[in-house]
């Protein structure tokens, strides 16, 4: 009988003698991804992921199957789970070597109970997961579904990636996600994106599965408070109601955990950045029926633009009650106070077009230091309730109410004066009060009909948004953009120029069936009917308007699950967006619609912490508003925009400690039908080519263990302005990080735009510089 010795692929580790060294190795917490498979193959994966040598007799274990082990465990606990019930004993002979033996029939065997300590993450479709590669998501189905079984392109950024990149905004958290481009470059007031040729605005932003804001300026998410960000590409109205055709972004809040978690983090950087964060979680009682989470942040910071601060206070308490194994209630609350100023951008002359005076300085402030402000306060409270009536029948209800208030003063630019040095300016100030109420009721039923396994989801959701605005105009003196002198008074209009009270109500009913058959095929069918009603009151003249619209959207997809981890798929999906206004004949506009055909392949190699997604698509938006040639001043809905593209995303664990994120996006979008002069134009903020690459290595050598090095690059091709009359050139930006873990301490240095590349990130109504080099040093303490 031969003996097989499995050695960690990076070489034979040094053998440390003594019981203390053995205990330390056995207690070390590591991440394991080991599917059920023949035991020798499972042991090879375990040895590689645990950094151990395993010695055993091959023929004794050949006929056995190892148990699956997925998540973060102490090394000895993972080995116990792998071998549980298999009649195999094991023992450490030194710190890095384990001997396994088959127990003879009739011999007594006593197994110690498995006690899992420290960080253990069992992945579900929402919440945290280990590493960079998510395996489940709720974004594409509203059910806990493996990503490989969802017939649409989805990217998931988890808490580990967020923590590694140290983003200041959601846009920075998603900067290595394919096909996603921020609506403008530097920005601290809102989260706007473009994807697959179309704008992703407030209608497409979701928090914990519920629509998060009534307008784009209502709020912006805090990355430190998130456990995951999910990007669902393409139309998704069948699940979420009104949304743009480009896709939906769903953000998941940090949630209570049973495992104790405590963190305090201090951060400092250039632009006078000072920030402290803290995160705590755990049980409130011995049985774990009550668990909590408390996340908080305080920041005092300037930015790359003079006189624009980035100050924030944030706190998010949450509580979970589990009276029984079948019932849970999670309360989620948050408060955010933001103080910053709007970044208006600059004229094309002096940024992307020549100006006789040269280039406008990147840090130039266009407004007045004692006037401009953006003070926003957000309160939010809600809950997630789940009750299981039986093993195959479950009810879920998600509900949230949010209140938003924004006091806003701004100065914008107008035309150049002769010589293109002094710019005319205008001012305005406003107060926005808005609210959002959303509730989603779901019944989930698992049923078997012959050879078909169904996961049926039936839902009824309701959303109500309100918005009030009072806005004044103002006058202010011109400004020399090349030698500014501030202090000009702003004269506000005596009465408001805008005073509106708006509301909308949306009711949606949806039905979805995920059908699995032959253990290899998954068919997804879905349909939804929506009713939307908008009302508006102009307080200045008393005029009232209302508009009722409805739409049906559908979806179908098919996935084939191969034993090799390859999953080719095809799908068709639809979206709709209500449109305000009337045509010349007095009839209301109908919603714009989106239709997408997508085909692709997803690959998750068995037993590896890696994934690859390749997708091609054709996406068409119809009923686009365009000018009415027969009635000047009115519009008709005969416009159409088409986008075709190709996307690749790879998240690879190439070797122990070595991770790679890579993406490439090709987008060919144009106006295909119009009554205007924009036929054939490319939509704004839509580069034909985008690519990104992030590499990270956690040093494995004993003397440098705990050191992590990371570097990345992001390439964005040229984009056009709204009228497609000039171009923002392509650019490449580099990022880097160094991290070091020493016991309960963690040190990190992150640099965004390492070479301080000066580039224009977007041109819409103005041209916006991208973020300057940003350096952040972080010290974290965990216990």
């Amino acid at each position: 009988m031969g003996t097989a010795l499995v050695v960690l692929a990076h070489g034979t580790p040094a053998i440390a003698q003594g019981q203390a060294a053995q205990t330390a190795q056995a207690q070390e917490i590591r991440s394991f991804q080991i599917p059920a498979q023949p035991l020798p193959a499972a042991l090879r994966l375990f040895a590689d992921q645990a950094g151990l040598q395993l010695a055993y007799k091959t023929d004794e274990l050949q006929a056995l199957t190892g148990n699956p082990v997925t998540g973060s465990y102490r090394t000895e606990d993972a080995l116990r789970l792998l071998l549980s019930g298999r009649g195999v004993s094991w023992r450490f002979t030194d710190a890095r070597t384990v001997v396994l033996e088959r127990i003879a029939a009739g011999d007594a065997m006593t197994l110690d109970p498995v006690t899992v300590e420290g960080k253990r993450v069992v992945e579900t479709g929402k919440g945290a997961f280990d590493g960079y590669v998510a395996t489940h998501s709720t974004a594409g189905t509203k059910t806990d579904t493996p990503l490989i079984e969802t017939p649409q392109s989805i990217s998931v950024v988890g808490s580990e990636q967020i923590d590694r990149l140290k983003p200041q905004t959601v846009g920075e958290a998603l900067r290595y996600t394919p096909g996603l481009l921020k609506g403008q470059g530097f920005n601290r007031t809102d989260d706007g994106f473009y994807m697959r040729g179309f704008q992703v605005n407030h209608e497409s932003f979701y928090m914990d599965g519920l629509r998060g804001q009534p307008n784009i300026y209502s709020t912006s998410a805090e990355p430190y408070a998130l456990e995951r960000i999910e990007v669902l590409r393409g139309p998704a109205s069948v699940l979420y109601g009104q949304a743009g055709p480009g896709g939906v972004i769903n953000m998941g809040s940090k949630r209570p955990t049973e495992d104790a978690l405590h963190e305090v983090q201090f951060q400092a950087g250039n632009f006078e950045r000072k920030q402290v964060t803290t995160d705590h979680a755990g049980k409130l009682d011995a049985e774990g029926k009550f668990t909590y989470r408390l996340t908080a942040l305080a920041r005092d910071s300037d930015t790359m633009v003079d006189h624009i601060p980035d100050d924030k206070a944030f706190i998010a308490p949450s509580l979970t009650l589990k009276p029984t194994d079948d019932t849970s209630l999670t309360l989620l609350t948050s408060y955010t106070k933001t103080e910053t100023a709007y970044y208006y951008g600059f004229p094309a002359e002096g940024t992307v077009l020549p100006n006789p005076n040269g280039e406008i300085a990147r840090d130039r402030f266009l407004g007045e230091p004692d006037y401009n402000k953006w003070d926003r306060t957000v309160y939010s409270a809600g809950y997630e309730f789940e009750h299981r009536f039986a093993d195959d029948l479950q009810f879920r209800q998600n509900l949230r109410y949010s209140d938003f208030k924004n006091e806003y003063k701004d100065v914008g630019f107008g035309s150049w004066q002769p010589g293109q040095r002094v710019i005319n300016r205008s001012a305005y100030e406003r107060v926005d009060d808005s609210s959002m109420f959303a509730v989603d009721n779901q019944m989930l039923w698992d049923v078997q009909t012959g050879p078909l396994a169904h996961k049926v989801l039936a839902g009824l959701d309701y959303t109500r948004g309100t918005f009030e605005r009072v806005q004044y105009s103002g006058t202010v003196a011109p400004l020399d953009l090349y030698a500014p002198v501030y202090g000009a008074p702003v004269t506000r209009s005596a009465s408001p120029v805008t005073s509106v009270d708006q509301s909308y109500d949306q009711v949606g009913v949806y039905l979805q069936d995920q059908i699995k058959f032959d253990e290899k095929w998954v068919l997804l069918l879905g349909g939804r009917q929506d009713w939307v009603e908008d009302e508006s009151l102009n307080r200045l003249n008393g005029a009232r308007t209302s508009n009722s619209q409805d739409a049906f959207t559908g979806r179908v997809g098919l996935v084939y699950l191969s034993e090799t981890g390859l999953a080719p798929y095809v799908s068709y999906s639809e979206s709709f967006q209500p449109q305000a206004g009337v045509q010349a004949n007095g009839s209301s506009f109908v919603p714009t619609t989106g239709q997408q055909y997508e085909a692709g392949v997803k690959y998750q190699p068995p037993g590896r912490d890696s994934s690859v997604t390749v997708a091609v698509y054709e996406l068409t938006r119809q009923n686009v508003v365009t000018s009415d040639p027969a009635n000047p001043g009115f519009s008709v809905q005969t416009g159409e925009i088409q986008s075709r593209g190709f996307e690749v995303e790879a998240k690879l664990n190439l070797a122990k400690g070595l991770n790679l994120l890579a993406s490439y996006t090709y987008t060919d979008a144009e106006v295909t039908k119009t009554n205007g002069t924009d036929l054939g134009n490319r939509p704004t903020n839509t580069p034909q080519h985008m690519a990104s690459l992030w590499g990270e290595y956690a040093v494995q050598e004993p003397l440098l263990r705990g050191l992590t090095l990371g570097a990345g690059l992001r390439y964005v091709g040229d984009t056009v302005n709204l009228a497609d009359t000039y171009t923002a050139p392509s650019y490449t930006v580099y990022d880097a990080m160094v991290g070091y873990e020493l016991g309960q301490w963690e040190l990190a240095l992150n640099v965004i735009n390492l070479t301080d590349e000066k580039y224009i990130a977007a041109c819409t109504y103005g041209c916006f510089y991208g973020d300057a080099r940003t350096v952040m040093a972080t010290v974290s303490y965990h216990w």
Side-chain angles (χ1 to χ4, degrees), residues 160-229:
E160 192 165 322
Q161 185 173 339
I162 292 173
D163 181 66
R164 189 71 74 189
L165 296 177
K166 300 290 189 298
Q168 302 173 88
T169 65
V170 169
E172 289 183 4
L174 295 172
R175 63 185 183 267
Y176 288 97
T177 301
L180 201 64
L181 187 64
K182 291 196 296 183
Q184 60 189 61
F186 167 83
N187 185 6
R188 296 295 181 267
T189 56
D190 61 273
D191 300 319
F193 298 93
Y194 284 78
M195 184 162 53
R196 292 192 169 179
F198 299 95
Q199 187 174 17
V200 179
N201 58 19
H202 59 280
E203 294 177 339
S204 300
F205 286 115
Y206 282 74
M207 179 67 73
D208 299 317
L210 296 174
R211 183 168 165 184
Q213 55 196 96
N215 66 79
I216 191 64
Y217 299 123
S218 297
T219 188
S220 57
E222 171 52 50
Y224 183 75
L226 304 178
E227 282 192 320
R228 61 165 59 202
I229 308 172

Side-chain angles (χ1 to χ4, degrees), residues 616-677:
V616 295
Y617 67 89
E618 180 179 280
L619 174 56
T620 305
R621 187 186 188 199
Q622 297 176 326
N623 296 336
V624 177
V625 175
T626 184
S627 59
D628 184 348
N631 298 279
F634 288 90
S635 298
V636 291
Q637 291 184 279
T638 58
E640 180 183 273
I641 301 173
Q642 187 175 83
S643 175
R644 296 171 175 169
F646 171 77
E647 296 163 344
V648 180
E649 180 179 35
K651 294 189 172 184
L652 307 174
N653 179 231
L654 300 176
K656 187 157 187 65
L658 180 59
N659 292 296
L660 187 71
L661 309 180
S663 72
Y664 170 73
T665 305
Y666 172 76
T667 308
D668 180 16
E670 65 174 327
V671 176
T672 50
K673 292 182 181 179
T674 181
N675 293 324
T677 60

Side-chain angles (χ1 to χ4, degrees), residues 2 46 140 152 175 182 201 299 334 410 461 471 527 569 579 584 610 614 620 623 640 704 710 741 751 762 775:
F46 175 82
Q152 201 161 337
R175 63 185 183 267
K182 291 196 296 183
N201 58 19
R299 180 168 66 238
S334 68
D410 188 47
D461 61 28
Q471 180 169 313
Y569 69 91
Q579 299 296 303
S610 299
V614 179
T620 305
N623 296 336
E640 180 183 273
L704 295 176
E741 295 183 24
V751 184
V775 182

